[in-house]
Amino acid sequence: SQTIHQWPATLVQPVGSPLSLECTVEGTSNPNLYWYRQAAGRGLQLLFYSVGIGQISSEVPQNLSASRPQDRQFILSSKKLLLSDSGFYLCAWSVPVGSGNTIYFGEGSWLTVV
Amino acid sequence: AQSVTQPDIHITVSEGASLELRCNYSYGATPYLFWYVQSPGQGLQLLLKYFSGDTLVQGIKGFEAEFKRSQSSFNLRKPSVHWSDAAEYFCAVGFNDMRFGAGTRLTVKP
């Protein structure tokens, strides 16, 4: 069966420090991969999605970036965190379009920028 | 631009009453449509989904949703709400780009 792992689960970082959140999926090949941010009262914001290695689509022009170095690995990064980057970050995967594209979520990472 | 809207931020219903949560979308073509539920401190759980075919889809926990192409809507319904249904509900639409609405928080009164 498929599983998704996301870490770290919680993170407290000072303003201006770098960020790296990592996500891996097991039990499937060539999944679509996603990064979402859930801020209080604002629902789930799509940050990045990827349909293949090295293919990243960005939805928000902020100081965040994403990379997909391997088929089932998705990394969210920042060179310098802002206070507004605080939130709950969710990695997700899906079987690509044509098979329904149901999204499955990881357990999330709480980021607090201080 | 593609978007999904959940007009109701917060809904309160009495236990046993019926429920309808609204979802509207704007896409170039009919996207895949989903409803998810998130209980406090929990992850997101898929309730139901629509890809094609019958426009009334059944999901888990007694929920159903109806796709109306003419209204670009995918509203979630339940005939009789239980106290355990209190949670945040998210509509999601898209193809490879899956976009979520802002959510509707459901409170159930005893």
Side-chain angles (χ1 to χ4, degrees), chain A residues 32 34 36 38 41-46 49 51 59 88 90 94 96-106, chain B residues 2 9 32 34 36 38 42-46 49-51 88 90 92 94-103:
Chain A
N32 286 351
Y34 304 83
Y36 291 89
Q38 186 175 25
R42 296 184 61 184
L44 282 161
Q45 180 186 25
L46 176 62
Y49 69 95
V51 300
E59 295 292 311
F88 187 52
L90 285 158
S94 70
V97 171
S99 303
N101 211 36
T102 301
I103 298 281
Y104 300 95
F105 288 90
Chain B
Q2 299 92 335
I9 296 173
Y32 297 140
F34 304 82
Y36 286 81
Q38 185 179 34
Q42 304 288 317
L44 283 94
Q45 181 182 23
L46 177 68
K49 55 190 177 184
Y50 173 79
F51 304 138
E88 186 103 22
F90 293 95
F95 296 98
N96 285 321
D97 59 325
M98 293 303 297
R99 301 170 192 277
F100 285 73

Side-chain angles (χ1 to χ4, degrees), chain B residues 70-87:
Chain B
S70 62
Q71 298 177 20
S72 297
S73 69
F74 189 56
N75 295 348
L76 182 71
R77 302 195 293 248
K78 187 169 185 178
S80 178
V81 170
H82 188 262
W83 65 266
S84 61
D85 294 324

Side-chain angles (χ1 to χ4, degrees), chain B residues 1-2 6-7 9 11 15 17 21 23-24 26-27 56-58 62 78-79 83 86 88 90 94-95 109:
Chain B
Q2 299 92 335
Q6 293 180 247
I9 296 173
I11 284 182
E15 191 168 15
L21 303 182
C23 174
N24 295 94
S26 175
Y27 257 80
L56 184 63
V57 294
Q58 303 297 321
K78 187 169 185 178
W83 65 266
E88 186 103 22
F90 293 95
F95 296 98
K109 293 190 300 184

